[in-house]
């Protein structure tokens, strides 16, 4: 692993989506400060009665989040994944939200899954991670 961090590039979303994404990012950075148990409880509450998000909707939300925040476009996976899920929730849906760990070398990561596929990430990049917390739609 090189230690070099790259940022995602995303096209500029429509104005209304850009504003909503910025709000989701602001809330996500606040939620990211919670304990893992507290974050799980809040996200379960928010995701209650939501329909599962489709992959295209979740990808559109992730791209809007990345366009709205330079930090979310880089290595800040926890607020990026939370903001993506929150932005989907505004539309009445929720992707599967995951946090996981890799033991060697120790790393933690957060991501979203929709239609059984990771959103904006390759399956191969997630192979070393074991999901620790998963928040699904409607639960």
């Amino acid at each position: 692993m090189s230690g070099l961090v790259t940022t995602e590039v995303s096209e500029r979303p429509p104005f209304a989506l850009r504003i909503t994404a910025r709000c989701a990012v602001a809330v996500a950075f606040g939620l990211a400060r919670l304990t893992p148990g507290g974050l799980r409880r809040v996200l379960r509450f928010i995701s209650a009665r939501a329909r599962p998000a489709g992959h295209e909707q979740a990808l559109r939300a992730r791209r809007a989040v990345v366009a709205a925040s330079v930090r979310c476009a880089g290595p800040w996976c926890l607020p990026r994944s939370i903001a993506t899920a929150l932005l989907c929730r505004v539309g009445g849906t929720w992707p599967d939200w995951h946090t996981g760990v890799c033991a060697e070398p120790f790393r933690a990561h957060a991501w979203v899954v929709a239609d059984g596929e990771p959103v904006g990430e390759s399956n191969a990049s997630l192979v070393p991670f074991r999901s620790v917390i998963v928040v699904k739609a409607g639960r």
Side-chain angles (χ1 to χ4, degrees):
M1 208 169 184
S2 68
L4 177 67
V5 175
T6 60
T7 58
E8 290 183 42
V9 177
S10 184
E11 55 193 53
R12 191 175 170 122
F15 180 74
L17 181 57
R18 197 165 59 242
I19 296 302
T20 309
R22 286 185 180 163
C23 292
V25 166
V27 172
F29 271 96
L31 292 176
R33 298 180 65 143
L34 294 173
T35 65
L39 179 57
R40 178 178 35 206
R41 282 189 297 277
V42 169
L43 293 183
R44 280 186 177 165
F45 177 78
I46 293 170
S47 67
R49 292 183 262 192
R51 299 179 321 276
H55 194 271
E56 284 303 313
Q57 180 195 17
L59 185 58
R60 182 174 184 237
R62 179 185 165 115
R63 288 178 176 158
V65 164
V66 166
S69 169
V70 173
R71 290 193 291 175
C72 286
W76 295 73
C77 61
L78 182 59
R80 177 178 58 235
S81 64
I82 295 169
T84 299
L86 293 175
L87 196 52
C88 286
R89 188 63 181 105
V90 169
T93 64
W94 186 266
D96 295 344
W97 179 85
H98 291 253
T99 59
V101 296
C102 175
E104 289 187 32
F106 180 79
R107 296 173 284 163
H109 189 47
W111 66 97
V112 296
V113 173
D115 293 335
E117 293 292 321
V119 176
E121 307 197 35
S122 69
N123 279 321
S125 69
L126 298 175
V127 167
F129 292 95
R130 183 176 69 82
S131 290
V132 176
I133 301 173
V134 179
V135 178
K136 296 186 176 220
R139 295 190 180 158

